[in-house]
Amino acid sequence: MKKREKWYKSFSTWLVILACIILVPILLANIFIIFQSKTNKDVVPSLFGYKPFIVLSGSMEGQIHKGDLIITKTVDPTTLKIDDIIAFRDAENTVTTHRIRDIISSDGTTKFITKGDANTIQDKNLVALEDVEGIYVMRISGFGSLMKSLAEPTTILIIALVITVLFVLGFTISTKKEKDLEREEYLKFKMMKEYQEKEKERLEREELLNLRRMKEQQEREQEQSREQQISREEFLELLRSREEKKKRENSDFEDRFKF
């Protein structure tokens, strides 16, 4: 039972830590992105030059799927080439991610012809250098839909609540574990103290019994000594009485035959 409880506590602790490691960065990233988007609506939020985008259409199916989260990197637009996948703002000021099909230079101005891999025709409008948001770096499959839901205020509130509950749960488990350890140590100390007291009482009883035995032994020896002394005196008294009797008999004998 104790092993199961320890396993459960350890698992719960690591679960709290893992959940916090995953949820806290996501929450902070969302708050940062939301803050940037609110303070400057014309600029796509970025982190160290990297910008996340949620794919809302299937125009790049095969390479990028609807619901994916893609990461683009800020780049010098003049370095871009044909077949690069770029994120750019279209005529409706919506960020689109398509592939460069051709590059047109006219009157010192460079523009890109773009097209979605899954589309049958190229994009109607040319992409100017200043409209480029970045070059495609990578995608996280299906993570865009999750991020979209996480960006909702209600979801952020729920995540914050979950993190709080996990911290409280972890703290409670940790506190209970410490209390259990303290109680276990206290019980061990109490048992040791009781054992020491019992051992002390046992030694005192043994010492008292030894003293009593010694006293009884001394009393027996004294009694034996007295008995031996009495016996010796009686023996001497007997000898004296015999001597006196013998003397009396001799004296009577002499008186009887005295002339």
Side-chain angles (χ1 to χ4, degrees):
M1 185 66 181
K2 289 183 177 180
K3 288 183 178 180
R4 289 184 179 179
E5 288 179 357
K6 289 182 178 180
W7 175 85
Y8 172 76
K9 290 177 182 178
S10 177
F11 177 76
S12 299
T13 302
W14 281 109
L15 183 63
V16 171
I17 293 172
L18 183 62
C20 291
I21 289 174
I22 294 172
L23 292 176
V24 169
I26 292 174
L27 180 62
L28 293 176
N30 271 331
I31 292 173
F32 179 75
I33 291 170
I34 291 171
F35 176 77
Q36 279 194 341
S37 62
K38 294 295 182 183
T39 54
N40 194 343
K41 295 182 179 181
D42 295 330
V43 178
V44 177
S46 65
L47 185 65
F48 303 113
Y50 290 90
K51 301 175 184 180
F53 294 102
I54 299 171
V55 180
L56 301 177
S57 70
S59 61
M60 286 292 292
E61 286 292 338
Q63 178 74 30
I64 302 171
H65 305 287
K66 183 179 179 180
D68 287 350
L69 177 73
I70 64 168
I71 306 297
T72 64
K73 182 181 179 182
T74 303
V75 67
D76 181 0
T78 59
T79 62
L80 295 172
K81 57 187 182 299
I82 295 174
D83 280 337
D84 284 343
I85 299 174
I86 61 171
F88 58 90
R89 288 187 178 275
D90 58 21
E92 297 176 355
N93 204 33
T94 302
V95 177
T96 304
T97 304
H98 282 174
R99 191 183 300 275
I100 297 175
R101 288 302 182 183
D102 202 356
I103 301 174
I104 299 174
S105 297
S106 177
D107 299 328
T109 302
T110 301
K111 292 187 178 182
F112 303 111
I113 297 175
T114 56
K115 175 181 173 295
D117 290 353
N119 292 344
T120 56
I121 58 173
Q122 66 186 29
D123 299 331
K124 294 179 181 179
N125 300 311
L126 299 177
V127 179
L129 297 182
E130 59 269 18
D131 292 331
V132 176
E133 292 291 343
I135 186 170
Y136 169 79
V137 176
M138 62 174 291
R139 74 180 182 94
I140 304 175
S141 180
F143 204 66
S145 300
L146 176 62
M147 289 293 291
K148 185 179 179 181
S149 62
L150 290 177
E152 298 294 331
T154 305
T155 307
I156 292 175
L157 182 62
I158 292 172
I159 292 175
L161 182 62
V162 169
I163 291 173
T164 303
V165 170
L166 289 174
F167 270 119
V168 171
L169 181 63
F171 177 77
T172 303
I173 293 174
S174 177
T175 303
K176 187 177 183 302
K177 189 175 181 180
E178 289 177 1
K179 286 183 179 179
D180 290 343
L181 288 173
E182 288 177 359
R183 178 175 176 78
E184 188 177 346
E185 290 178 359
Y186 170 74
L187 291 174
K188 286 182 180 179
F189 173 78
K190 186 178 179 181
M191 290 175 63
M192 183 180 70
K193 198 72 176 176
E194 290 176 352
Y195 173 77
Q196 289 177 347
E197 289 177 356
K198 288 180 180 179
E199 189 68 13
K200 184 179 179 181
E201 290 178 359
R202 186 183 67 80
L203 292 174
E204 288 177 351
R205 284 198 301 270
E206 286 185 357
E207 185 177 358
L208 183 62
L209 287 172
N210 289 334
L211 289 173
R212 187 178 294 173
R213 290 194 189 101
M214 289 177 62
K215 187 175 180 180
E216 290 176 352
Q217 180 68 22
Q218 288 175 354
E219 289 176 352
R220 283 196 296 269
E221 290 177 354
Q222 289 176 357
E223 183 69 23
Q224 289 176 358
S225 178
R226 282 196 299 271
E227 290 176 356
Q228 290 176 359
Q229 185 70 22
I230 292 171
S231 300
R232 185 167 175 241
E233 289 177 354
E234 288 178 348
F235 178 73
L236 291 173
E237 182 67 25
L238 180 62
L239 288 177
R240 281 197 299 271
S241 63
R242 286 179 180 179
E243 285 291 330
E244 289 176 358
K245 184 178 181 181
K246 187 175 181 180
K247 285 180 181 180
R248 283 196 303 271
E249 289 177 351
N250 290 335
S251 176
D252 291 341
F253 181 79
E254 289 175 359
D255 292 337
R256 186 178 300 172
F257 293 96
K258 188 175 180 182
F259 295 98

